[in-house]
Amino acid sequence: GRGHPGWKAAASLLAGATLFFSFATGDHRVAARTVIEGSVQMAAVAPFAVGPTRIRNVGHIRHKETDRIAAVATELRRIGQQVDEHEDGLTIHPAAIQPATIHTYDDHRMAMSFALLGLRAPGIRIADPGCVTKTFPRYWEALDRLRNQAPGGQ
């Protein structure tokens, strides 16, 4: 839970729309009941954890714009991560992040989530950036502002 000493929950709000967590230490298990829509974002930033991240209780995201569990697992593997796919979620074992073009499956959450990864990992490209227009037409502008405001912004 939130009081666990292994969690350093650093939450950032991106234009009031997306919550994501970065993990500092320990074994990370996330029951995503309360942050259901954030499960893709959590998975996308899990490569920065120092130990495995287990996201569970999100089996319903297999029935969204795409099978988000399978899509996230595929794209994390594309960037060099070891991923165990479960019926109700994923376990991500962090490894060195490899540059790659991320496929979005015409799913705005895939594009926005993996773009967050690209803030810290060089060489991450989004194959279909236009798919975000259905929910957040100015997402890329907001992300650029966030990038420029960060210490050492590009």
Side-chain angles (χ1 to χ4, degrees):
R2 286 187 286 198
H4 186 282
W7 288 73
K8 216 182 219 182
S12 289
L13 254 350
L14 178 57
T18 304
L19 180 66
F20 71 95
F21 297 89
S22 62
F23 305 103
T25 61
D27 179 22
H28 311 293
R29 290 177 217 150
V30 180
R33 287 185 196 125
T34 56
V35 285
I36 290 168
E37 294 302 330
S39 56
V40 176
Q41 292 90 336
M42 285 186 278
V45 298
F48 299 114
V50 296
T53 298
R54 170 73 163 101
I55 300 170
R56 59 187 175 85
N57 298 332
V58 295
H60 64 280
I61 69 171
R62 289 187 180 279
H63 311 289
K64 297 292 184 175
E65 284 81 348
T66 188
D67 177 342
R68 287 183 176 155
I69 292 173
V72 167
T74 297
E75 298 313 308
L76 286 170
R77 290 180 186 121
R78 188 181 311 280
I79 63 164
Q81 305 306 293
Q82 179 189 339
V83 181
D84 303 324
E85 186 176 334
H86 312 288
E87 188 60 34
D88 75 333
L90 307 154
T91 302
I92 300 107
H93 305 272
I97 299 169
Q98 305 301 312
T101 298
I102 302 299
H103 297 251
T104 66
Y105 309 84
D106 199 30
D107 184 340
H108 61 285
R109 288 204 193 278
M110 291 291 293
M112 293 189 292
S113 299
F114 279 89
L116 295 174
L117 175 77
L119 288 174
R120 288 201 45 214
I124 301 299
R125 292 170 304 283
I126 305 300
D128 178 19
C131 69
V132 304
T133 58
K134 79 182 229 181
T135 56
F136 196 163
R138 301 184 76 177
Y139 178 80
W140 301 111
E141 293 170 34
L143 190 67
D144 283 341
R145 281 194 308 277
L146 180 64
R147 180 182 295 116
N148 292 331
Q149 292 172 4
Q154 301 167 4

